[in-house]
Amino acid sequence: MPRIPEKMSERERILELKKEKNAVILAHNYQRPEIQDLADFVGDSLGLSIQASKVEAEVIVFCGVDFMAESAKILNPQKIVVHPEPKARCPMAAMCELEGLIEIKRKYPSAKVVGYVNTTAACKTEMDVCCTSSNAVKVVSSLHDKEIIFVPDENLGRYVQRFVKDKNIILWPGFCPTHNAIKPDQIKRLKKAHPDAVVIVHPECRPEVIDLADAVKSTEGMIKFVKASDKREFIIGTEKELIYRLKKENPEKIFYSIPGAICPTMKMITLSSVAKALENLAPRVELDEETIRKAKIPLERMMEIGRGD
Ligand code: SF4
């Protein structure tokens, strides 16, 4: 009797469609494990921007939040960029609106605007240079200007100010709900339970949390730090999914996550939404030419400056 072929798994279907459509899948470090496993590249915002600028495939499927998919489009206007879940909008990026940014620029006309990459394409058109958590200190330090408007993450801006003493950094009252919810008591409790563990936190955390850390790193910085460390245990003060990659790359080491440190927006993308997006090559990221032209300038400046850790 002929064998009935088993139903193709969602993963197999995605891999087949990827070939058929000449697509590449880029995924952020906070994506679900099954998405990270089938991505061609997994990284942080800066790594993904750099990767997006080098893509040769005709289609980019971006598994991350809205501003990341927009950045991929800005850097590849001629390519089809698909964002499998357009509702996956970063709440921090939504805290900075174009009108408000124009208003604060009017108030401080001689200030330069440094914008975290976690902002909309529209806001990027009003920025001098972008930064990520891995190079924010390096980007701000590279400017000769004394007054800097830093948007939208207040915690990251305060962290930068610790190292850049000769500038007045005007902060925007934005924050990442996931990192801002990490409390000093949670770190203290974990440290008490695991006294030998090294505490690494993300600069989007509150200053009181940063004060308790042994190291402050972007997600990619954490990966490098853990790899280079001769320690065995680590408390990871960022979104819990980073631990999936950390464990995969360092099976002999032990990681403790912060209870509740989950970004629900990052989890909106599923295998089904990726399969559907590849099938239909939609929903696509569409931006007008003027927005692309203007938003590309601060993004490219950031990429020229490169990593800071
Ligand atoms: S972790 Fe924070 S900054 Fe990153 S996408 Fe989620 S809400 Fe936005």
Side-chain angles (χ1 to χ4, degrees):
M1 216 166 103
R3 214 173 138 248
I4 300 165
E6 275 175 38
K7 200 173 164 263
M8 200 182 261
S9 73
E10 219 149 30
R11 186 190 149 82
E12 285 165 344
R13 178 81 187 121
I14 290 169
L15 294 174
E16 199 183 84
L17 279 166
K18 202 163 76 83
K19 245 192 248 159
E20 194 183 295
K21 310 272 180 172
N22 189 15
V24 73
I25 299 178
L26 305 183
H28 190 267
N29 284 323
Y30 299 157
Q31 286 290 294
R32 294 169 184 272
E34 61 272 26
I35 302 286
Q36 293 191 32
D37 281 347
L38 57 73
D40 296 282
F41 180 83
V42 182
D44 64 354
S45 305
L46 182 57
L48 289 166
S49 299
I50 294 170
Q51 205 60 32
S53 68
K54 295 185 196 158
V55 164
E56 281 179 6
E58 285 163 53
V59 177
I60 299 173
V61 178
F62 206 103
C63 300
V65 292
D66 56 346
F67 71 83
M68 298 174 177
E70 282 186 347
S71 296
K73 182 67 184 175
I74 294 163
L75 297 166
N76 291 281
Q78 73 293 354
K79 304 212 176 213
I80 295 172
V81 178
V82 177
H83 187 207
E85 183 41 83
K87 284 197 199 117
R89 293 195 199 104
C90 166
M92 185 211 281
M95 289 175 195
C96 182
E97 283 173 357
L98 182 62
E99 297 71 33
L101 183 54
I102 293 172
E103 207 178 303
I104 199 168
K105 279 178 74 174
R106 265 196 220 115
K107 205 168 158 198
Y108 300 97
S110 57
K112 282 275 184 292
V113 180
V114 177
Y116 197 16
V117 74
N118 303 33
T119 41
T120 61
C123 284
K124 287 188 177 80
T125 63
E126 289 292 328
M127 291 170 186
D128 293 292
V129 56
C130 285
C131 71
T132 69
S133 50
S134 83
N135 67 3
V137 173
K138 197 173 170 190
V139 167
V140 174
S141 309
S142 74
L143 299 170
H144 299 297
D145 313 77
K146 290 284 169 234
E147 241 179 9
I148 308 290
I149 298 168
F150 190 92
V151 296
D153 187 9
E154 195 171 358
N155 287 339
L156 180 61
R158 281 194 205 288
Y159 178 70
V160 170
Q161 186 83 82
R162 291 183 187 211
F163 299 91
V164 186
K165 307 270 187 220
D166 63 332
K167 298 187 200 301
N168 175 29
I169 301 183
I170 301 142
L171 299 167
W172 184 274
F175 60 92
C176 161
T178 305
H179 287 94
N180 204 54
I182 298 175
K183 299 285 179 339
D185 278 356
Q186 292 180 292
I187 305 282
K188 284 182 193 159
R189 268 199 295 274
L190 280 168
K191 188 71 194 167
K192 202 172 167 196
H194 312 285
D196 293 334
V198 181
V199 179
I200 320 174
V201 307
H202 195 278
E204 284 173 16
C205 290
R206 297 160 179 257
E208 316 88 86
V209 168
I210 285 179
D211 288 340
L212 296 172
D214 297 304
V216 181
K217 301 278 173 195
S218 66
T219 52
E220 219 51 39
M222 289 185 189
I223 285 166
K224 272 195 215 145
F225 183 93
V226 166
K227 221 172 253 175
S229 173
D230 54 8
K231 301 279 192 245
R232 204 167 156 263
E233 292 176 68
F234 302 86
I235 294 165
I236 303 296
T238 190
E239 214 273 351
K240 65 140 193 149
E241 225 68 85
L242 183 73
I243 293 183
Y244 179 69
R245 197 175 148 198
L246 284 168
K247 266 191 193 152
K248 212 168 155 181
E249 295 181 15
N250 307 273
E252 74 292 358
K253 298 188 176 177
I254 300 167
F255 303 97
Y256 305 107
S257 63
I258 313 293
I262 297 169
C263 172
T265 321
M266 281 281 184
K267 303 297 179 276
M268 285 183 173
I269 294 175
T270 59
L271 285 181
S272 305
S273 62
V274 174
K276 206 165 147 205
L278 266 167
E279 191 107 50
N280 304 321
L281 292 188
R284 294 186 191 189
V285 179
E286 304 286 6
L287 295 168
D288 63 76
E289 270 179 39
E290 188 62 358
T291 301
I292 290 179
R293 189 185 64 75
K294 288 187 176 168
K296 200 172 188 172
I297 300 167
L299 265 177
E300 285 187 336
R301 281 193 189 133
M302 168 188 83
M303 281 158 47
E304 274 162 32
I305 294 169
R307 283 202 179 278
D309 55 18

